[in-house]
Amino acid sequence: MKNKTSFLPREGEAQPSRCPDNTAFKQQRLPAWKPQLTIASVLSTFFLTGAFCLTVGVCLVLSANSVREIQVDYSDKCSDCSKLRENSSNWNKECHCSVNFTLKEDILGDVFMYYGLQNFYQNHRRYVISRSDAQLLGRKVNIQRSYCAPFSTYRNGTPMAPCGAIANSIFNDTIDLFYSHNSSVIQVPLLKTGNSWWTDKNVKFRNPESYNLSSAFAGTARPPYWQKPVYLLDEEDERNNGYVNDDFIIWMRVSAFATFRNLYRRLRRVRHFAEGLPAGNYTFRISYNFPVTKFKGRKHVILSTVVWSGGSNPFLGIAYLVSGTAATLTGFVITGIHLKLRKKKTYFQKQ
């Protein structure tokens, strides 16, 4: 055992210095700029900030109000189908309903179709985490160790693909749009692909590697509320199947609020609809599959255009207006306080 004195520096040896290096950074000698807050600089900052926010807010609000939007609620108009879907044993029975509406003016430009849900809470903690990101990337994983339960496997041990409560509750109504033109009915051409983000298709969602999709999902089963397996979601386009299906990807992007809308289709601008949707009589033909009665929900379809600032959402513009108003009022308050104090100072100097 070494003597304790062996750890002490011997006589004549230099002790290690604890002082920082003699550099401008470690000795805090770097040049610094300390602004001098004068009344002119403070007031100009508040008033310029207020003017900027008010200008941007007015532009955003006007832009949002210029969006053309038609919203049709079909919850009550499809009440017969809604009653049929309340009984889960009728899952294999088809039910269709139609909703008529009229466009009094043309909707020019690109037109987007959304489906909207009301009183559907996707922000519940257990609902949000009920998914397997590794499975959605096409990897072979043990989903029993994921957060997908109770929608992970069936009683016989067959895994669900995809698993989780989010995937199981996918919106599966089919909505077609028809246009009445010169005593004839024309189906409006709608695009079902190209609606998701590039990062979703190429980064977050991938199909398992195999020579075809049916073999890639062999040994798995569809979620209990689904009518088709995941590799048959789009029977018209093989590239829009499996985990890279656009409708599935958009649904997996959960909403923070109970009332939300998701992009469903885009207008294909050809023939009669090259300029957009012409004025006239239209009909939504809906294959009703998604029940909402039990949680007192509502369903609606939205036809909308977009502008440079996005869709019909004035929230950002209102936020800018509130911020600009607050900054401007603060500037006036500071001005009033400054004038009052200067007047009092002048009075005492005269005394």
Side-chain angles (χ1 to χ4, degrees):
M1 181 176 181
K2 293 184 179 180
N3 190 356
K4 293 182 179 180
T5 58
S6 61
F7 295 98
L8 298 176
R10 298 178 181 177
E11 294 183 0
E13 290 184 356
Q15 297 184 5
S17 176
R18 291 178 174 269
C19 296
D21 296 336
N22 188 20
T23 61
F25 176 75
K26 293 188 177 181
Q27 294 296 336
Q28 299 183 8
R29 294 196 302 267
L30 291 175
W33 176 70
K34 184 179 180 181
Q36 298 295 328
L37 296 179
T38 62
I39 187 63
S41 61
V42 171
L43 289 179
S44 60
T45 300
F46 274 101
F47 284 121
L48 288 176
T49 302
F52 173 77
C53 291
L54 289 174
T55 303
V56 175
V58 170
C59 294
L60 290 174
V61 170
L62 293 177
S63 176
N65 291 336
S66 66
V67 173
R68 293 290 310 280
E69 183 173 295
I70 302 295
Q71 181 170 317
V72 178
D73 190 317
Y74 65 94
S75 303
D76 297 331
K77 298 179 180 179
C78 298
S79 56
D80 294 338
C81 292
S82 178
K83 293 178 181 178
L84 179 70
R85 290 289 174 252
E86 289 181 7
N87 189 350
S88 59
S89 62
N90 297 325
W91 66 271
N92 58 344
K93 296 181 180 180
E94 295 185 359
C95 189
H96 302 270
C97 60
S98 299
V99 180
N100 300 320
F101 67 99
T102 302
L103 288 182
K104 297 181 180 180
E105 298 179 357
D106 297 344
I107 300 181
L108 302 178
D110 295 328
V111 181
F112 299 83
M113 179 189 291
Y114 301 83
Y115 62 84
L117 291 176
Q118 183 177 348
N119 207 36
F120 189 91
Y121 289 85
Q122 287 189 312
N123 56 2
H124 191 281
R125 183 182 63 86
R126 290 193 62 187
Y127 183 88
V128 171
I129 66 175
S130 184
R131 59 187 293 166
S132 173
D133 292 324
Q135 184 194 48
L136 298 176
L137 282 171
R139 301 172 183 171
K140 294 182 179 180
V141 294
N142 184 5
I143 60 175
Q144 291 182 344
R145 297 181 180 179
S146 65
Y147 294 104
C148 288
F151 302 102
S152 55
T153 59
Y154 286 94
R155 293 182 179 179
N156 60 0
T158 304
M160 300 180 189
C163 70
I166 307 176
N168 182 60
S169 60
I170 188 174
F171 182 85
N172 55 354
D173 283 0
T174 302
I175 306 172
D176 294 317
L177 181 61
F178 292 87
Y179 170 55
S180 300
H181 178 68
N182 295 334
S183 68
S184 62
V185 178
I186 303 173
Q187 184 171 2
V188 179
L190 300 173
L191 298 171
K192 62 176 67 175
T193 57
N195 300 326
S196 58
W197 298 341
W198 182 90
T199 52
D200 290 334
K201 282 273 190 177
N202 297 273
V203 179
K204 296 182 179 179
F205 296 86
R206 293 177 185 173
N207 286 324
E209 295 182 359
S210 183
Y211 61 93
N212 59 38
L213 277 183
S214 59
S215 62
F217 290 98
T220 63
R222 59 176 176 82
Y225 290 173
W226 285 32
Q227 298 174 335
K228 300 177 181 178
V230 67
Y231 54 87
L232 291 178
L233 290 177
D234 189 351
E235 298 181 359
E236 298 177 357
D237 188 354
E238 295 182 356
R239 298 172 297 178
N240 192 35
N241 271 315
Y243 298 147
V244 296
N245 176 266
D246 277 56
D247 293 338
F248 172 71
I249 289 175
I250 293 173
W251 177 259
M252 294 298 291
R253 195 185 305 138
V254 296
S255 172
F257 302 100
T259 300
F260 61 92
R261 63 177 64 178
N262 284 334
L263 181 60
Y264 183 66
R265 296 289 184 266
R266 291 179 296 121
L267 175 66
R268 185 181 179 187
R269 298 173 62 177
V270 294
R271 298 189 296 275
H272 298 87
F273 311 99
E275 302 297 328
L277 288 178
N281 297 321
Y282 290 84
T283 301
F284 283 124
R285 293 184 184 176
I286 302 166
S287 177
Y288 198 104
N289 298 305
F290 192 85
V292 296
T293 307
K294 291 185 178 180
F295 57 89
K296 299 180 181 180
R298 309 285 300 180
K299 295 192 294 186
H300 42 269
V301 189
I302 304 104
L303 295 174
S304 176
T305 60
V306 295
V307 291
W308 62 271
S309 61
S312 178
N313 188 357
F315 173 79
L316 187 59
I318 294 174
Y320 268 101
L321 289 177
V322 172
S323 301
T325 303
T328 305
L329 290 177
T330 304
F332 281 115
V333 171
I334 295 175
T335 303
I337 294 174
H338 171 68
L339 293 176
K340 185 176 180 180
L341 293 177
R342 189 175 66 176
K343 184 178 180 181
K344 185 180 295 186
K345 182 179 179 180
T346 304
Y347 174 77
F348 282 113
Q349 287 177 352
K350 290 181 179 180
Q351 295 294 328

